[in-house]
Amino acid sequence: MFDTIENWALHAFVDGELEGDEKKAIEALLARDERARKAVAAFAHQKQELHRAYSAILDEPVPAGILAAAKGNGRPRLTWALSLVAGLALLGVGSVLGLNIAQHFDQVQQASLANRALVAYQTFAPEVRHPVEVAASDEDHLKAWLSKRIGTEIKIPDLQDAGYTLLGGRLLAEADHPAGQLMYEDANKKRLTIYLTQNTGAKEQSLALADSPGLVTCYWRDGALAMAISADMPHDAMMSLAKNIYDQMDDKS
């Protein structure tokens, strides 16, 4: 079963690091286990986003001024005044490079948010007996519990007009702080999840979409929260629903 396979093995498969019997074992697992296939698809999507964020930096040539300063260029040592000017120039270049790296890191954080939400959906949405920890019948407790653990007050959106009924929610773990998941279901038993965690990024981010086979995730950062919605639906429907949720979460009343 997929639950007995360590995540590292699936990551290694995506990275092309498995050979022989290990590779065949994962291929056999993927042939019979839909959850494993979805997990591998999510890992592959994450890898693609990381390459998209960093490949441009790796391909950029090192500025000639920095190379010359590093190599000395066969010239006599600079006087203290020229050294000061060169140092300030390098500081300026470093600031620009640092800004570019920070921007790329922010892009990776955004992609990581979508990926974590997607993996959480793939893990818990298929559950029949235990899709949530706290049921919708105890909504007040769910709201208070997740607000306390996440570290900021959250709201639980009402999606009845969109055809989704709240099933409940659960606590999740980020790398260094808690997250939460709210789960909804429509009349056809199709599920939708909302992933919530602290906004640890430096700035806010408007609504954005990320695709995975059979799923779409809409994510954003606003104020103290970073959020992502995952479901199997067309982009237009997802954006409309996300706008509804965004407005409810941002309601100051």
Side-chain angles (χ1 to χ4, degrees):
M1 295 296 293
F2 168 50
D3 292 336
T4 65
I5 300 295
E6 296 288 345
N7 275 345
W8 70 262
L10 298 181
H11 278 289
F13 179 82
V14 171
D15 293 337
E17 297 176 352
L18 297 184
E19 297 179 353
D21 292 340
E22 288 182 330
K23 182 178 180 181
K24 291 179 180 178
I26 297 299
E27 290 174 341
L29 173 70
L30 296 177
R32 67 176 185 271
D33 195 311
E34 182 179 4
R35 288 178 60 199
R37 290 195 297 272
K38 289 182 177 180
V40 165
F43 295 152
H45 175 74
Q46 182 185 47
K47 182 178 180 180
Q48 179 184 9
E49 292 300 317
L50 288 171
H51 277 291
R52 183 181 301 172
Y54 283 113
S55 290
I57 291 180
L58 295 175
D59 292 337
E60 289 176 2
V62 178
I66 293 180
L67 285 176
K71 295 178 179 179
N73 214 24
R75 297 172 183 171
R77 292 183 59 188
L78 297 174
T79 65
W80 72 268
L82 291 177
S83 296
L84 176 60
V85 172
L88 291 174
L90 288 174
L91 178 61
V93 172
S95 297
V96 173
L97 290 175
L99 177 60
N100 288 337
I101 291 173
Q103 290 173 341
H104 283 288
F105 180 71
D106 187 59
Q107 293 174 358
V108 172
Q109 279 190 313
Q110 295 168 8
S112 179
L113 169 65
N115 184 67
R116 293 194 302 271
L118 181 64
V119 171
Y121 176 96
Q122 293 168 336
T123 300
F124 297 109
E127 289 290 333
V128 177
R129 297 185 61 183
H130 306 290
V132 298
E133 285 183 279
V134 179
S137 58
D138 206 358
E139 183 174 335
D140 289 342
H141 168 64
L142 175 63
K143 176 182 175 181
W145 179 46
L146 291 183
S147 295
K148 179 179 179 180
R149 294 306 305 273
I150 293 174
T152 187
E153 183 179 359
I154 69 166
K155 298 179 180 180
I156 298 181
D158 183 350
L159 303 182
Q160 292 282 354
D161 291 344
Y164 285 90
T165 300
L166 178 69
L167 293 180
R170 67 171 59 244
L171 184 69
L172 301 172
E174 288 245 356
D176 57 356
H177 55 276
Q181 183 188 65
L182 303 175
M183 187 176 297
Y184 297 78
E185 188 175 77
D186 69 7
N188 296 318
K189 303 299 181 182
K190 294 184 67 175
R191 290 176 174 173
L192 171 149
T193 60
I194 302 177
Y195 183 94
L196 313 98
T197 190
Q198 283 187 3
N199 179 17
T200 57
K203 55 187 177 182
E204 297 182 352
Q205 174 210 354
S206 58
L207 301 181
L209 291 175
D211 282 305
S212 183
L215 292 173
V216 61
T217 296
C218 184
Y219 56 102
W220 67 91
R221 298 175 185 272
D222 181 45
L225 279 175
M227 300 180 55
I229 310 162
S230 299
D232 179 6
M233 64 174 60
H235 284 189
D236 290 346
M238 171 58 80
M239 289 299 290
S240 177
L241 187 61
K243 182 63 166 58
N244 180 2
I245 294 172
Y246 177 90
D247 290 341
Q248 290 190 53
M249 299 296 286
D250 195 49
D251 185 3
K252 302 299 190 295
S253 60

